[in-house]
């Protein structure tokens, strides 16, 4: 069964550094998403991406964040200058079309900013 | 945010049916109900969704009341691996690509 994959599983970085989190969505899906979950808190929507552009984003997704689909398979989330409060699990998801819009999530990347 | 109300936690004996309720009294006619679960900080896992009719798949059944103000997710034979946080989500049409995860129900399946 096809699934969303994410790399790395755990990323440790120093405050102020740039990080890129990578995702390979399910191959025939057209919509791509990033969510995050701070430890002990709810899963929060960050951004959705369709047809090579951002379709929606939350207030969390500020200028420090960017997304890209650099080729036909990868979908990346870049945090330009990490802060301590960016420490969280980051989940990539993908979904198809057809009206029901269910999303399929990857296993997540744990980002630790020190 | 679309409003759903779920119990904070529930217990279920292994092998028995787990019935997880969700209230969504302000749901509109074209809003779908989705269920996801999250096992110990793993990525949320899609379970099932529905609009008006009851739905069943290999994982679970979804029972939606006739007035659509509540629903129940049924895991017919719960196993220890079903221990997770279960989220009931109403997808708002104007936010079709955003899922708002609440606090969910922590289901504890006990031997």
């Amino acid at each position: 069964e096809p699934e969303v994959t994410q790399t790395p599983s755990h990323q440790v970085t120093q405050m102020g550094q740039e990080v890129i989190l990578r995702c390979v969505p399910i191959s025939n899906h057209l919509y791509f998403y990033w969510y995050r979950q701070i430890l002990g808190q709810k899963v929060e929507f960050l951004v959705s991406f369709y047809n090579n552009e951002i379709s929606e984003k939350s207030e969390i997704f500020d200028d420090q964040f960017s997304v890209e689909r650099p080729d036909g398979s990868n979908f990346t989330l870049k945090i330009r200058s990490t802060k301590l409060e960016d420490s969280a699990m980051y989940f990539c998801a993908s979904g198809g079309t057809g009206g029901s819009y269910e999303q399929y999530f990857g296993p997540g990347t744990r980002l630790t900013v020190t | 945010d679309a409003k759903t109300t779920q119990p904070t936690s529930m217990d279920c004996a292994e092998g028995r049916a787990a019935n997880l309720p969700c209230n969504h009294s302000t749901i509109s006619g074209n809003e779908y109900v989705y269920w996801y679960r999250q096992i110990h900080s793993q990525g949320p896992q899609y379970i099932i969704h529905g609009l008006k009719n009851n739905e069943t798949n290999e994982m679970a059944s979804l029972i939606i009341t006739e007035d659509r103000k509540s629903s129940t997710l049924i895991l017919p034979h719960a196993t220890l691996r079903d221990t997770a946080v279960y989220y009931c989500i109403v997808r708002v049409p104007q936010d079709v690509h955003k899922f708002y995860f609440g606090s969910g129900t922590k289901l504890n399946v006990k031997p």
Side-chain angles (χ1 to χ4, degrees), chain A residues 20-99:
Chain A
I20 297 176
L21 309 183
R22 291 182 167 80
C23 168
V24 179
I26 294 173
S27 62
N28 61 343
H29 283 178
L30 301 177
Y31 293 89
F32 313 110
Y33 312 89
W34 285 100
Y35 290 76
R36 79 170 186 190
Q37 186 175 32
I38 295 170
L39 186 64
Q41 298 187 23
K42 299 176 184 178
V43 177
E44 301 173 288
F45 170 82
L46 291 178
V47 66
S48 62
F49 191 85
Y50 170 72
N51 202 24
N52 281 321
E53 61 182 24
I54 291 173
S55 48
E56 292 181 81
K57 61 183 181 179
S58 72
E59 292 176 353
I60 303 168
F61 195 89
D62 60 21
D63 292 343
Q64 292 297 313
F65 291 89
S66 62
V67 289
E68 191 179 30
R69 187 154 163 81
D71 53 44
S73 59
N74 291 285
F75 180 52
T76 62
L77 174 70
K78 181 193 291 186
I79 308 175
R80 209 178 323 277
S81 177
T82 51
K83 309 184 191 78
L84 294 176
E85 53 265 36
D86 293 327
S87 295
M89 284 290 288
Y90 287 82
F91 297 110
C92 174
S94 69
T97 57

Side-chain angles (χ1 to χ4, degrees), chain B residues 25-43:
Chain B
S25 58
T26 59
I27 195 169
S28 299
N30 57 352
E31 292 175 342
Y32 283 80
V33 179
Y34 291 77
W35 283 83
Y36 279 78
R37 72 181 183 183
Q38 188 175 28
I39 298 172
H40 189 54
S41 296
Q42 296 178 22

Side-chain angles (χ1 to χ4, degrees), chain B residues 1 3 6-7 13 17 19 21 30-31 35-36 38 40 43-46 48 58 71-72 74-75 88 90 95 102 109:
Chain B
D1 293 8
K3 298 296 184 190
Q6 299 179 253
N19 296 282
N30 57 352
E31 292 175 342
W35 283 83
Y36 279 78
Q38 188 175 28
H40 189 54
Q45 179 187 21
Y46 167 76
I48 200 166
E58 64 278 2
S71 60
T72 301
I74 301 173
L75 307 178
C88 168
V90 171
D95 287 332
V109 181

Side-chain angles (χ1 to χ4, degrees), chain B residues 7-109:
Chain B
T8 303
S9 66
M10 293 182 63
D11 291 339
C12 178
E14 189 178 18
R16 305 298 293 268
N19 296 282
L20 294 100
C22 179
N23 286 322
H24 31 78
S25 58
T26 59
I27 195 169
S28 299
N30 57 352
E31 292 175 342
Y32 283 80
V33 179
Y34 291 77
W35 283 83
Y36 279 78
R37 72 181 183 183
Q38 188 175 28
I39 298 172
H40 189 54
S41 296
Q42 296 178 22
Q45 179 187 21
Y46 167 76
I47 301 173
I48 200 166
H49 72 277
L51 181 61
K52 296 179 183 177
N53 300 321
N54 298 336
E55 303 287 344
T56 295
N57 63 20
E58 64 278 2
M59 288 184 69
S61 295
L62 173 61
I63 308 298
I64 303 174
T65 57
E66 195 168 336
D67 63 8
R68 302 189 69 242
K69 293 185 177 182
S70 66
S71 60
T72 301
L73 179 75
I74 301 173
L75 307 178
H77 306 287
T79 70
L80 298 178
R81 286 180 294 182
D82 293 321
T83 293
V85 178
Y86 286 77
Y87 300 99
C88 168
I89 301 168
V90 171
R91 179 173 62 80
V92 181
Q94 60 267 35
D95 287 332
V96 69
H97 292 291
K98 293 180 191 175
F99 279 123
Y100 294 98
F101 287 81
S103 300
T105 296
K106 177 65 190 303
L107 176 68
N108 298 299
V109 181

